[in-house]
Amino acid sequence: ADSEIRYHIINSLVDNIRFPNRHTLFFSQLVLSLFITDTTDAKREQIARIIVERLLAHDPHPWGLIITFLELFQNPHYKFRPQFHYLLQLVESSLHILEKRKAS
């Protein structure tokens, strides 16, 4: 139940990361600070998952979401790359499963 509530809260925060303004900057920095201050992998993974899902699913992508993802990915302070590699493996395995289901 806690992870579901956390998922909805993080989704609500990410909903506010849109176009260039102070509102977006506030929520972008809030999400980034949650990512860096939380030491549990499950919570960090959930934040990363929500951002990556948004970038994979919704088009056009909000400017603020792209900037937040780039900051998370490029800044070594967040140590995101190893986790992102794991997320890519999950996405790849999910796509293979869907491809197999579609073929049969």
Side-chain angles (χ1 to χ4, degrees), residues 52-66:
V52 170
E53 281 177 351
R54 295 283 182 101
L55 290 173
L56 291 175
H58 298 288
D59 198 28
H61 307 302
W63 175 88
L65 191 61
I66 294 169

mmCIF file with all atom_site columns, all heavy atoms in Angstrom, residues 52-66:
data_model
loop_
_atom_site.group_PDB
_atom_site.id
_atom_site.type_symbol
_atom_site.label_atom_id
_atom_site.label_alt_id
_atom_site.label_comp_id
_atom_site.label_asym_id
_atom_site.label_entity_id
_atom_site.label_seq_id
_atom_site.pdbx_PDB_ins_code
_atom_site.Cartn_x
_atom_site.Cartn_y
_atom_site.Cartn_z
_atom_site.occupancy
_atom_site.B_iso_or_equiv
_atom_site.pdbx_formal_charge
_atom_site.auth_seq_id
_atom_site.auth_comp_id
_atom_site.auth_asym_id
_atom_site.auth_atom_id
_atom_site.pdbx_PDB_model_num
ATOM 1   N N   . VAL A 1 52 ? 10.832 7.837  -16.756 1.00 0.00 ? 52 VAL A N   1
ATOM 2   C CA  . VAL A 1 52 ? 11.107 7.114  -18.003 1.00 0.00 ? 52 VAL A CA  1
ATOM 3   C C   . VAL A 1 52 ? 9.806  6.688  -18.678 1.00 0.00 ? 52 VAL A C   1
ATOM 4   O O   . VAL A 1 52 ? 9.679  6.795  -19.900 1.00 0.00 ? 52 VAL A O   1
ATOM 5   C CB  . VAL A 1 52 ? 12.041 5.914  -17.744 1.00 0.00 ? 52 VAL A CB  1
ATOM 6   C CG1 . VAL A 1 52 ? 12.152 5.024  -18.963 1.00 0.00 ? 52 VAL A CG1 1
ATOM 7   C CG2 . VAL A 1 52 ? 13.414 6.403  -17.318 1.00 0.00 ? 52 VAL A CG2 1
ATOM 8   N N   . GLU A 1 53 ? 8.832  6.245  -17.895 1.00 0.00 ? 53 GLU A N   1
ATOM 9   C CA  . GLU A 1 53 ? 7.534  5.878  -18.478 1.00 0.00 ? 53 GLU A CA  1
ATOM 10  C C   . GLU A 1 53 ? 6.903  7.060  -19.192 1.00 0.00 ? 53 GLU A C   1
ATOM 11  O O   . GLU A 1 53 ? 6.348  6.905  -20.289 1.00 0.00 ? 53 GLU A O   1
ATOM 12  C CB  . GLU A 1 53 ? 6.574  5.399  -17.388 1.00 0.00 ? 53 GLU A CB  1
ATOM 13  C CG  . GLU A 1 53 ? 6.780  4.004  -16.927 1.00 0.00 ? 53 GLU A CG  1
ATOM 14  C CD  . GLU A 1 53 ? 5.840  3.617  -15.796 1.00 0.00 ? 53 GLU A CD  1
ATOM 15  O OE1 . GLU A 1 53 ? 5.127  4.498  -15.256 1.00 0.00 ? 53 GLU A OE1 1
ATOM 16  O OE2 . GLU A 1 53 ? 5.827  2.431  -15.455 1.00 0.00 ? 53 GLU A OE2 1
ATOM 17  N N   . ARG A 1 54 ? 6.983  8.219  -18.587 1.00 0.00 ? 54 ARG A N   1
ATOM 18  C CA  . ARG A 1 54 ? 6.411  9.418  -19.209 1.00 0.00 ? 54 ARG A CA  1
ATOM 19  C C   . ARG A 1 54 ? 7.113  9.737  -20.520 1.00 0.00 ? 54 ARG A C   1
ATOM 20  O O   . ARG A 1 54 ? 6.482  10.144 -21.491 1.00 0.00 ? 54 ARG A O   1
ATOM 21  C CB  . ARG A 1 54 ? 6.530  10.617 -18.279 1.00 0.00 ? 54 ARG A CB  1
ATOM 22  C CG  . ARG A 1 54 ? 5.736  10.512 -17.019 1.00 0.00 ? 54 ARG A CG  1
ATOM 23  C CD  . ARG A 1 54 ? 4.259  10.794 -17.297 1.00 0.00 ? 54 ARG A CD  1
ATOM 24  N NE  . ARG A 1 54 ? 3.496  10.730 -16.081 1.00 0.00 ? 54 ARG A NE  1
ATOM 25  C CZ  . ARG A 1 54 ? 3.095  11.785 -15.401 1.00 0.00 ? 54 ARG A CZ  1
ATOM 26  N NH1 . ARG A 1 54 ? 3.369  12.993 -15.814 1.00 0.00 ? 54 ARG A NH1 1
ATOM 27  N NH2 . ARG A 1 54 ? 2.395  11.628 -14.299 1.00 0.00 ? 54 ARG A NH2 1
ATOM 28  N N   . LEU A 1 55 ? 8.422  9.574  -20.528 1.00 0.00 ? 55 LEU A N   1
ATOM 29  C CA  . LEU A 1 55 ? 9.166  9.886  -21.747 1.00 0.00 ? 55 LEU A CA  1
ATOM 30  C C   . LEU A 1 55 ? 8.923  8.850  -22.830 1.00 0.00 ? 55 LEU A C   1
ATOM 31  O O   . LEU A 1 55 ? 8.984  9.167  -24.015 1.00 0.00 ? 55 LEU A O   1
ATOM 32  C CB  . LEU A 1 55 ? 10.659 10.002 -21.442 1.00 0.00 ? 55 LEU A CB  1
ATOM 33  C CG  . LEU A 1 55 ? 11.046 11.231 -20.626 1.00 0.00 ? 55 LEU A CG  1
ATOM 34  C CD1 . LEU A 1 55 ? 12.510 11.156 -20.226 1.00 0.00 ? 55 LEU A CD1 1
ATOM 35  C CD2 . LEU A 1 55 ? 10.762 12.512 -21.396 1.00 0.00 ? 55 LEU A CD2 1
ATOM 36  N N   . LEU A 1 56 ? 8.643  7.622  -22.453 1.00 0.00 ? 56 LEU A N   1
ATOM 37  C CA  . LEU A 1 56 ? 8.380  6.577  -23.442 1.00 0.00 ? 56 LEU A CA  1
ATOM 38  C C   . LEU A 1 56 ? 6.946  6.629  -23.960 1.00 0.00 ? 56 LEU A C   1
ATOM 39  O O   . LEU A 1 56 ? 6.690  6.298  -25.104 1.00 0.00 ? 56 LEU A O   1
ATOM 40  C CB  . LEU A 1 56 ? 8.651  5.196  -22.836 1.00 0.00 ? 56 LEU A CB  1
ATOM 41  C CG  . LEU A 1 56 ? 10.100 4.862  -22.548 1.00 0.00 ? 56 LEU A CG  1
ATOM 42  C CD1 . LEU A 1 56 ? 10.200 3.516  -21.835 1.00 0.00 ? 56 LEU A CD1 1
ATOM 43  C CD2 . LEU A 1 56 ? 10.913 4.840  -23.826 1.00 0.00 ? 56 LEU A CD2 1
ATOM 44  N N   . ALA A 1 57 ? 6.010  7.040  -23.115 1.00 0.00 ? 57 ALA A N   1
ATOM 45  C CA  . ALA A 1 57 ? 4.601  6.915  -23.470 1.00 0.00 ? 57 ALA A CA  1
ATOM 46  C C   . ALA A 1 57 ? 3.973  8.182  -24.052 1.00 0.00 ? 57 ALA A C   1
ATOM 47  O O   . ALA A 1 57 ? 3.256  8.111  -25.037 1.00 0.00 ? 57 ALA A O   1
ATOM 48  C CB  . ALA A 1 57 ? 3.818  6.494  -22.240 1.00 0.00 ? 57 ALA A CB  1
ATOM 49  N N   . HIS A 1 58 ? 4.201  9.300  -23.451 1.00 0.00 ? 58 HIS A N   1
ATOM 50  C CA  . HIS A 1 58 ? 3.471  10.505 -23.838 1.00 0.00 ? 58 HIS A CA  1
ATOM 51  C C   . HIS A 1 58 ? 4.264  11.323 -24.858 1.00 0.00 ? 58 HIS A C   1
ATOM 52  O O   . HIS A 1 58 ? 5.443  11.560 -24.692 1.00 0.00 ? 58 HIS A O   1
ATOM 53  C CB  . HIS A 1 58 ? 3.173  11.372 -22.604 1.00 0.00 ? 58 HIS A CB  1
ATOM 54  C CG  . HIS A 1 58 ? 2.301  10.682 -21.613 1.00 0.00 ? 58 HIS A CG  1
ATOM 55  N ND1 . HIS A 1 58 ? 0.967  10.463 -21.836 1.00 0.00 ? 58 HIS A ND1 1
ATOM 56  C CD2 . HIS A 1 58 ? 2.561  10.146 -20.406 1.00 0.00 ? 58 HIS A CD2 1
ATOM 57  C CE1 . HIS A 1 58 ? 0.459  9.829  -20.810 1.00 0.00 ? 58 HIS A CE1 1
ATOM 58  N NE2 . HIS A 1 58 ? 1.411  9.620  -19.923 1.00 0.00 ? 58 HIS A NE2 1
ATOM 59  N N   . ASP A 1 59 ? 3.562  11.750 -25.891 1.00 0.00 ? 59 ASP A N   1
ATOM 60  C CA  . ASP A 1 59 ? 4.180  12.580 -26.908 1.00 0.00 ? 59 ASP A CA  1
ATOM 61  C C   . ASP A 1 59 ? 3.227  13.726 -27.210 1.00 0.00 ? 59 ASP A C   1
ATOM 62  O O   . ASP A 1 59 ? 2.029  13.481 -27.362 1.00 0.00 ? 59 ASP A O   1
ATOM 63  C CB  . ASP A 1 59 ? 4.435  11.745 -28.161 1.00 0.00 ? 59 ASP A CB  1
ATOM 64  C CG  . ASP A 1 59 ? 5.433  12.369 -29.102 1.00 0.00 ? 59 ASP A CG  1
ATOM 65  O OD1 . ASP A 1 59 ? 6.300  13.106 -28.615 1.00 0.00 ? 59 ASP A OD1 1
ATOM 66  O OD2 . ASP A 1 59 ? 5.334  12.114 -30.311 1.00 0.00 ? 59 ASP A OD2 1
ATOM 67  N N   . PRO A 1 60 ? 3.605  14.947 -27.276 1.00 0.00 ? 60 PRO A N   1
ATOM 68  C CA  . PRO A 1 60 ? 4.961  15.477 -27.125 1.00 0.00 ? 60 PRO A CA  1
ATOM 69  C C   . PRO A 1 60 ? 5.374  15.502 -25.655 1.00 0.00 ? 60 PRO A C   1
ATOM 70  O O   . PRO A 1 60 ? 4.537  15.553 -24.758 1.00 0.00 ? 60 PRO A O   1
ATOM 71  C CB  . PRO A 1 60 ? 4.861  16.887 -27.669 1.00 0.00 ? 60 PRO A CB  1
ATOM 72  C CG  . PRO A 1 60 ? 3.449  17.282 -27.433 1.00 0.00 ? 60 PRO A CG  1
ATOM 73  C CD  . PRO A 1 60 ? 2.639  16.008 -27.556 1.00 0.00 ? 60 PRO A CD  1
ATOM 74  N N   . HIS A 1 61 ? 6.667  15.440 -25.450 1.00 0.00 ? 61 HIS A N   1
ATOM 75  C CA  . HIS A 1 61 ? 7.195  15.415 -24.094 1.00 0.00 ? 61 HIS A CA  1
ATOM 76  C C   . HIS A 1 61 ? 7.287  16.831 -23.539 1.00 0.00 ? 61 HIS A C   1
ATOM 77  O O   . HIS A 1 61 ? 7.774  17.728 -24.210 1.00 0.00 ? 61 HIS A O   1
ATOM 78  C CB  . HIS A 1 61 ? 8.577  14.773 -24.072 1.00 0.00 ? 61 HIS A CB  1
ATOM 79  C CG  . HIS A 1 61 ? 8.605  13.432 -24.728 1.00 0.00 ? 61 HIS A CG  1
ATOM 80  N ND1 . HIS A 1 61 ? 7.805  12.393 -24.328 1.00 0.00 ? 61 HIS A ND1 1
ATOM 81  C CD2 . HIS A 1 61 ? 9.310  12.963 -25.780 1.00 0.00 ? 61 HIS A CD2 1
ATOM 82  C CE1 . HIS A 1 61 ? 8.032  11.344 -25.078 1.00 0.00 ? 61 HIS A CE1 1
ATOM 83  N NE2 . HIS A 1 61 ? 8.928  11.668 -25.974 1.00 0.00 ? 61 HIS A NE2 1
ATOM 84  N N   . PRO A 1 62 ? 6.835  17.020 -22.306 1.00 0.00 ? 62 PRO A N   1
ATOM 85  C CA  . PRO A 1 62 ? 6.955  18.344 -21.689 1.00 0.00 ? 62 PRO A CA  1
ATOM 86  C C   . PRO A 1 62 ? 8.422  18.751 -21.550 1.00 0.00 ? 62 PRO A C   1
ATOM 87  O O   . PRO A 1 62 ? 9.269  17.932 -21.202 1.00 0.00 ? 62 PRO A O   1
ATOM 88  C CB  . PRO A 1 62 ? 6.312  18.167 -20.314 1.00 0.00 ? 62 PRO A CB  1
ATOM 89  C CG  . PRO A 1 62 ? 5.480  16.941 -20.427 1.00 0.00 ? 62 PRO A CG  1
ATOM 90  C CD  . PRO A 1 62 ? 6.136  16.082 -21.447 1.00 0.00 ? 62 PRO A CD  1
ATOM 91  N N   . TRP A 1 63 ? 8.691  20.004 -21.815 1.00 0.00 ? 63 TRP A N   1
ATOM 92  C CA  . TRP A 1 63 ? 10.050 20.531 -21.762 1.00 0.00 ? 63 TRP A CA  1
ATOM 93  C C   . TRP A 1 63 ? 10.700 20.239 -20.417 1.00 0.00 ? 63 TRP A C   1
ATOM 94  O O   . TRP A 1 63 ? 11.839 19.768 -20.341 1.00 0.00 ? 63 TRP A O   1
ATOM 95  C CB  . TRP A 1 63 ? 10.003 22.040 -22.016 1.00 0.00 ? 63 TRP A CB  1
ATOM 96  C CG  . TRP A 1 63 ? 11.318 22.713 -21.876 1.00 0.00 ? 63 TRP A CG  1
ATOM 97  C CD1 . TRP A 1 63 ? 12.254 22.871 -22.842 1.00 0.00 ? 63 TRP A CD1 1
ATOM 98  C CD2 . TRP A 1 63 ? 11.856 23.313 -20.697 1.00 0.00 ? 63 TRP A CD2 1
ATOM 99  N NE1 . TRP A 1 63 ? 13.348 23.530 -22.345 1.00 0.00 ? 63 TRP A NE1 1
ATOM 100 C CE2 . TRP A 1 63 ? 13.128 23.811 -21.022 1.00 0.00 ? 63 TRP A CE2 1
ATOM 101 C CE3 . TRP A 1 63 ? 11.393 23.463 -19.392 1.00 0.00 ? 63 TRP A CE3 1
ATOM 102 C CZ2 . TRP A 1 63 ? 13.931 24.466 -20.096 1.00 0.00 ? 63 TRP A CZ2 1
ATOM 103 C CZ3 . TRP A 1 63 ? 12.197 24.105 -18.470 1.00 0.00 ? 63 TRP A CZ3 1
ATOM 104 C CH2 . TRP A 1 63 ? 13.456 24.606 -18.832 1.00 0.00 ? 63 TRP A CH2 1
ATOM 105 N N   . GLY A 1 64 ? 9.987  20.499 -19.324 1.00 0.00 ? 64 GLY A N   1
ATOM 106 C CA  . GLY A 1 64 ? 10.542 20.317 -17.991 1.00 0.00 ? 64 GLY A CA  1
ATOM 107 C C   . GLY A 1 64 ? 10.892 18.873 -17.682 1.00 0.00 ? 64 GLY A C   1
ATOM 108 O O   . GLY A 1 64 ? 11.875 18.588 -16.995 1.00 0.00 ? 64 GLY A O   1
ATOM 109 N N   . LEU A 1 65 ? 10.096 17.956 -18.206 1.00 0.00 ? 65 LEU A N   1
ATOM 110 C CA  . LEU A 1 65 ? 10.372 16.541 -17.988 1.00 0.00 ? 65 LEU A CA  1
ATOM 111 C C   . LEU A 1 65 ? 11.669 16.124 -18.681 1.00 0.00 ? 65 LEU A C   1
ATOM 112 O O   . LEU A 1 65 ? 12.472 15.377 -18.118 1.00 0.00 ? 65 LEU A O   1
ATOM 113 C CB  . LEU A 1 65 ? 9.199  15.703 -18.491 1.00 0.00 ? 65 LEU A CB  1
ATOM 114 C CG  . LEU A 1 65 ? 9.204  14.243 -18.100 1.00 0.00 ? 65 LEU A CG  1
ATOM 115 C CD1 . LEU A 1 65 ? 9.161  14.078 -16.593 1.00 0.00 ? 65 LEU A CD1 1
ATOM 116 C CD2 . LEU A 1 65 ? 8.033  13.532 -18.733 1.00 0.00 ? 65 LEU A CD2 1
ATOM 117 N N   . ILE A 1 66 ? 11.881 16.625 -19.880 1.00 0.00 ? 66 ILE A N   1
ATOM 118 C CA  . ILE A 1 66 ? 13.118 16.323 -20.610 1.00 0.00 ? 66 ILE A CA  1
ATOM 119 C C   . ILE A 1 66 ? 14.319 16.886 -19.860 1.00 0.00 ? 66 ILE A C   1
ATOM 120 O O   . ILE A 1 66 ? 15.334 16.200 -19.681 1.00 0.00 ? 66 ILE A O   1
ATOM 121 C CB  . ILE A 1 66 ? 13.047 16.877 -22.046 1.00 0.00 ? 66 ILE A CB  1
ATOM 122 C CG1 . ILE A 1 66 ? 11.970 16.146 -22.842 1.00 0.00 ? 66 ILE A CG1 1
ATOM 123 C CG2 . ILE A 1 66 ? 14.402 16.752 -22.738 1.00 0.00 ? 66 ILE A CG2 1
ATOM 124 C CD1 . ILE A 1 66 ? 11.641 16.783 -24.168 1.00 0.00 ? 66 ILE A CD1 1
#
